[in-house]
Coordinates of all heavy atoms in Angstrom, one line a residue:
M226 N -26.4 -16.1 20.0 CA -27.2 -15.9 18.7 C -27.6 -14.5 18.6 O -28.1 -13.9 19.6 CB -28.3 -16.8 18.8 CG -28.8 -17.3 17.4 SD -30.2 -18.2 17.1 CE -30.2 -19.5 18.2
N227 N -27.5 -13.9 17.4 CA -27.9 -12.6 17.2 C -29.5 -12.5 16.9 O -30.0 -13.3 16.1 CB -27.2 -12.0 16.0 CG -25.7 -11.7 16.2 OD1 -25.3 -11.7 17.4 ND2 -24.9 -11.6 15.2
K228 N -30.1 -11.5 17.5 CA -31.5 -11.3 17.3 C -31.6 -10.4 16.0 O -30.8 -9.5 15.9 CB -32.2 -10.6 18.5 CG -32.3 -11.5 19.7 CD -33.0 -10.7 20.8 CE -33.1 -11.5 22.1 NZ -33.8 -10.8 23.1
P229 N -32.7 -10.6 15.3 CA -32.9 -9.7 14.1 C -33.3 -8.4 14.7 O -33.9 -8.3 15.7 CB -34.0 -10.4 13.3 CG -34.7 -11.3 14.2 CD -33.6 -11.7 15.3
A230 N -32.8 -7.4 13.9 CA -33.2 -6.0 14.3 C -34.7 -5.8 14.2 O -35.3 -6.2 13.2 CB -32.4 -5.0 13.5
P231 N -35.3 -5.0 15.1 CA -36.7 -4.8 14.9 C -36.9 -3.9 13.7 O -36.1 -3.1 13.3 CB -37.1 -4.0 16.2 CG -35.8 -3.5 16.7 CD -34.7 -4.4 16.2
P232 N -38.1 -4.1 13.0 CA -38.3 -3.3 11.8 C -38.4 -1.8 12.2 O -38.8 -1.4 13.3 CB -39.7 -3.7 11.3 CG -40.3 -4.4 12.5 CD -39.2 -4.9 13.4
T233 N -37.8 -0.9 11.3 CA -37.8 0.5 11.6 C -39.1 1.1 11.0 O -39.6 0.7 10.0 CB -36.6 1.2 10.9 OG1 -36.6 1.0 9.5 CG2 -35.3 0.6 11.5
T234 N -39.6 2.0 11.7 CA -40.8 2.8 11.2 C -40.4 4.1 10.7 O -39.5 4.7 11.2 CB -41.9 3.0 12.3 OG1 -41.2 3.7 13.4 CG2 -42.4 1.6 12.8
P235 N -40.9 4.5 9.5 CA -40.6 5.8 9.0 C -40.9 6.9 10.0 O -42.0 6.8 10.7 CB -41.3 6.0 7.7 CG -42.4 4.9 7.8 CD -42.0 3.9 8.8
S236 N -40.1 7.9 10.1 CA -40.4 8.9 11.1 C -41.7 9.8 10.6 O -41.9 10.0 9.4 CB -39.3 9.9 11.2 OG -39.0 10.6 10.0
I237 N -42.5 10.0 11.5 CA -43.8 10.8 11.2 C -43.5 12.3 11.4 O -43.1 12.6 12.6 CB -44.9 10.3 12.1 CG1 -45.2 8.8 11.8 CG2 -46.2 11.1 11.8 CD1 -46.2 8.1 12.7
P238 N -43.6 13.1 10.4 CA -43.4 14.5 10.6 C -44.4 15.1 11.6 O -45.5 14.8 11.7 CB -43.6 15.2 9.3 CG -44.4 14.2 8.5 CD -44.1 12.8 9.1
T239 N -43.9 16.0 12.5 CA -44.7 16.7 13.4 C -45.4 17.9 12.8 O -44.7 18.7 12.2 CB -43.9 17.2 14.6 OG1 -43.2 16.1 15.2 CG2 -44.7 17.8 15.6
L240 N -46.7 17.9 12.8 CA -47.4 19.0 12.2 C -47.5 20.2 13.2 O -47.7 19.9 14.3 CB -48.8 18.5 11.8 CG -48.9 17.4 10.7 CD1 -50.3 16.9 10.5 CD2 -48.2 17.9 9.4
P241 N -47.5 21.4 12.7 CA -47.7 22.5 13.5 C -49.1 22.5 14.1 O -50.0 22.1 13.4 CB -47.5 23.7 12.6 CG -47.6 23.2 11.2 CD -47.3 21.7 11.2
V242 N -49.3 23.0 15.3 CA -50.6 23.0 15.9 C -50.9 24.5 16.1 O -50.2 25.2 16.8 CB -50.6 22.3 17.3 CG1 -51.9 22.4 18.0 CG2 -50.3 20.8 17.1
L243 N -52.1 24.9 15.7 CA -52.6 26.2 15.9 C -53.9 26.1 16.7 O -54.8 25.3 16.3 CB -52.9 27.0 14.6 CG -51.8 27.2 13.6 CD1 -52.2 27.8 12.3 CD2 -50.7 28.1 14.2
N244 N -54.0 26.9 17.7 CA -55.2 27.0 18.5 C -56.2 27.7 17.6 O -55.9 28.7 17.0 CB -54.9 27.6 19.8 CG -56.1 27.5 20.8 OD1 -57.1 28.1 20.5 ND2 -55.9 26.8 21.8
S245 N -57.5 27.3 17.7 CA -58.5 28.0 16.9 C -58.6 29.5 17.3 O -58.9 30.3 16.4 CB -59.9 27.4 17.0 OG -60.3 27.4 18.4
S246 N -58.3 29.8 18.5 CA -58.4 31.3 18.9 C -57.3 32.1 18.1 O -57.5 33.2 17.9 CB -58.2 31.4 20.4 OG -57.0 30.9 20.8
Q247 N -56.2 31.4 17.7 CA -55.1 32.1 16.9 C -55.7 32.4 15.6 O -55.4 33.5 15.0 CB -53.9 31.2 16.8 CG -53.1 31.0 18.1 CD -52.0 30.0 17.9 OE1 -52.3 28.8 17.8 NE2 -50.8 30.5 17.9
L248 N -56.5 31.5 15.0 CA -57.1 31.8 13.7 C -58.2 32.7 13.8 O -58.3 33.6 12.9 CB -57.5 30.5 13.1 CG -56.5 29.4 12.8 CD1 -57.1 28.1 12.4 CD2 -55.5 29.9 11.7
L249 N -59.1 32.6 14.7 CA -60.3 33.4 14.7 C -60.1 34.8 15.3 O -60.8 35.7 15.1 CB -61.4 32.6 15.5 CG -61.9 31.4 14.8 CD1 -62.8 30.6 15.8 CD2 -62.6 31.7 13.5
Q250 N -59.1 34.9 16.3 CA -58.8 36.2 16.8 C -60.0 36.9 17.4 O -60.2 38.1 17.1 CB -58.0 37.1 15.8 CG -56.8 36.5 15.4 CD -56.0 37.4 14.4 OE1 -56.4 38.5 14.1 NE2 -54.9 36.9 13.9
G251 N -60.8 36.2 18.1 CA -62.0 36.8 18.8 C -63.2 36.9 17.9 O -64.3 37.4 18.4
Q252 N -63.1 36.5 16.6 CA -64.2 36.6 15.7 C -64.9 35.3 15.6 O -64.4 34.3 16.1 CB -63.7 37.0 14.3 CG -63.0 38.3 14.2 CD -63.8 39.5 14.6 OE1 -64.9 39.7 14.1 NE2 -63.3 40.3 15.5
R253 N -66.1 35.2 15.1 CA -66.9 34.0 14.9 C -66.5 33.4 13.6 O -66.8 32.2 13.3 CB -68.4 34.3 15.0 CG -68.9 34.8 16.3 CD -68.9 33.8 17.4 NE -69.9 32.7 17.0 CZ -70.2 31.8 18.0 NH1 -69.7 31.9 19.2 NH2 -71.0 30.9 17.6
A254 N -65.9 34.1 12.7 CA -65.6 33.6 11.3 C -64.4 34.3 10.8 O -64.1 35.5 11.1 CB -66.7 33.7 10.4
V255 N -63.6 33.7 9.9 CA -62.5 34.3 9.2 C -62.5 33.7 7.8 O -63.0 32.6 7.5 CB -61.1 34.0 9.8 CG1 -61.0 34.7 11.2 CG2 -60.9 32.5 9.9
V256 N -61.9 34.5 6.9 CA -61.8 34.1 5.5 C -60.4 33.6 5.3 O -59.4 34.3 5.7 CB -62.2 35.2 4.5 CG1 -61.9 34.7 3.0 CG2 -63.6 35.6 4.6
I257 N -60.2 32.4 4.7 CA -58.9 31.9 4.5 C -58.8 31.8 2.9 O -59.6 31.2 2.3 CB -58.7 30.5 5.0 CG1 -58.9 30.5 6.6 CG2 -57.4 29.8 4.6 CD1 -59.0 29.2 7.2
E258 N -57.7 32.4 2.4 CA -57.4 32.3 1.0 C -56.4 31.2 0.7 O -55.3 31.1 1.4 CB -56.9 33.7 0.5 CG -57.0 33.8 -1.0 CD -56.8 35.2 -1.5 OE1 -57.6 36.1 -1.1 OE2 -55.9 35.3 -2.3
H259 N -56.7 30.3 -0.3 CA -55.8 29.2 -0.6 C -55.9 29.0 -2.1 O -56.9 28.8 -2.6 CB -56.3 28.0 0.2 CG -55.5 26.7 -0.2 ND1 -54.2 26.5 0.2 CD2 -55.8 25.6 -0.9 CE1 -53.8 25.4 -0.3 NE2 -54.8 24.8 -0.9
N260 N -54.7 29.1 -2.7 CA -54.6 28.9 -4.2 C -55.7 29.7 -4.9 O -56.3 29.3 -5.9 CB -54.8 27.4 -4.6 CG -53.6 26.6 -4.1 OD1 -52.5 27.1 -3.9 ND2 -53.8 25.3 -3.9
G261 N -55.8 31.0 -4.5 CA -56.7 31.9 -5.2 C -58.2 31.7 -4.9 O -59.0 32.4 -5.4
E262 N -58.5 30.8 -4.1 CA -59.9 30.5 -3.7 C -60.1 31.0 -2.2 O -59.2 30.9 -1.4 CB -60.2 29.0 -3.7 CG -60.0 28.3 -5.1 CD -61.2 28.5 -6.0 OE1 -62.1 29.3 -5.7 OE2 -61.1 27.9 -7.1
R263 N -61.3 31.4 -1.9 CA -61.6 31.8 -0.6 C -62.5 30.9 0.1 O -63.5 30.4 -0.5 CB -62.3 33.2 -0.6 CG -61.3 34.3 -1.0 CD -61.9 35.7 -0.9 NE -60.9 36.7 -1.1 CZ -60.9 37.8 -0.5 NH1 -62.0 38.3 0.1 NH2 -59.9 38.7 -0.7
Y264 N -62.2 30.6 1.4 CA -62.9 29.7 2.2 C -63.3 30.4 3.5 O -62.5 31.3 3.9 CB -62.1 28.5 2.6 CG -61.7 27.6 1.4 CD1 -60.5 28.0 0.6 CD2 -62.4 26.5 1.0 CE1 -60.2 27.2 -0.5 CE2 -62.0 25.7 -0.1 CZ -60.9 26.1 -0.8 OH -60.5 25.4 -1.9
T265 N -64.4 30.1 4.1 CA -64.8 30.6 5.3 C -64.7 29.6 6.5 O -65.3 28.5 6.3 CB -66.3 31.2 5.3 OG1 -66.3 32.2 4.2 CG2 -66.7 31.8 6.6
L266 N -64.0 29.9 7.5 CA -63.9 29.1 8.7 C -64.8 29.7 9.7 O -64.5 30.9 10.1 CB -62.5 28.9 9.1 CG -62.3 28.1 10.4 CD1 -62.6 26.7 10.2 CD2 -60.9 28.3 10.9
R267 N -65.8 29.1 10.2 CA -66.6 29.7 11.2 C -66.8 28.7 12.4 O -66.8 27.5 12.2 CB -68.0 30.1 10.6 CG -68.9 29.1 10.2 CD -70.2 29.7 9.6 NE -71.0 28.6 9.1 CZ -72.0 28.1 9.8 NH1 -72.1 28.4 11.1 NH2 -72.7 27.1 9.3
E268 N -67.1 29.3 13.5 CA -67.5 28.6 14.8 C -68.9 28.6 14.9 O -69.6 29.7 14.9 CB -66.7 29.3 15.9 CG -67.0 28.5 17.2 CD -66.3 29.2 18.4 OE1 -65.7 30.3 18.3 OE2 -66.4 28.6 19.5
T269 N -69.5 27.4 15.2 CA -71.0 27.4 15.4 C -71.3 27.7 16.8 O -70.4 27.9 17.7 CB -71.5 25.9 15.1 OG1 -71.0 25.0 16.1 CG2 -71.1 25.4 13.7
R270 N -72.6 27.8 17.1 CA -73.0 28.1 18.5 C -72.7 27.0 19.5 O -72.5 27.2 20.7 CB -74.5 28.3 18.6 CG -74.9 29.7 18.1 CD -76.4 29.9 18.2 NE -76.9 29.8 16.8 CZ -78.1 29.3 16.5 NH1 -78.9 29.0 17.4 NH2 -78.4 29.2 15.3
Q271 N -72.5 25.8 18.9 CA -72.1 24.6 19.7 C -70.6 24.5 19.9 O -70.1 23.6 20.5 CB -72.6 23.3 19.1 CG -74.1 23.2 19.2 CD -74.8 23.9 18.0 OE1 -74.2 24.1 17.0 NE2 -76.0 24.4 18.2

């Protein structure tokens, strides 16, 4: 007897991983520009 094939799951894309030190480059904050808007990414004391 043939077993039914297990359901296939859609492949999940692998997202790139950036270490926060790559973004901050030794600073406590950086400005990120996205679609003409500016955002500040900062690290807290904690």
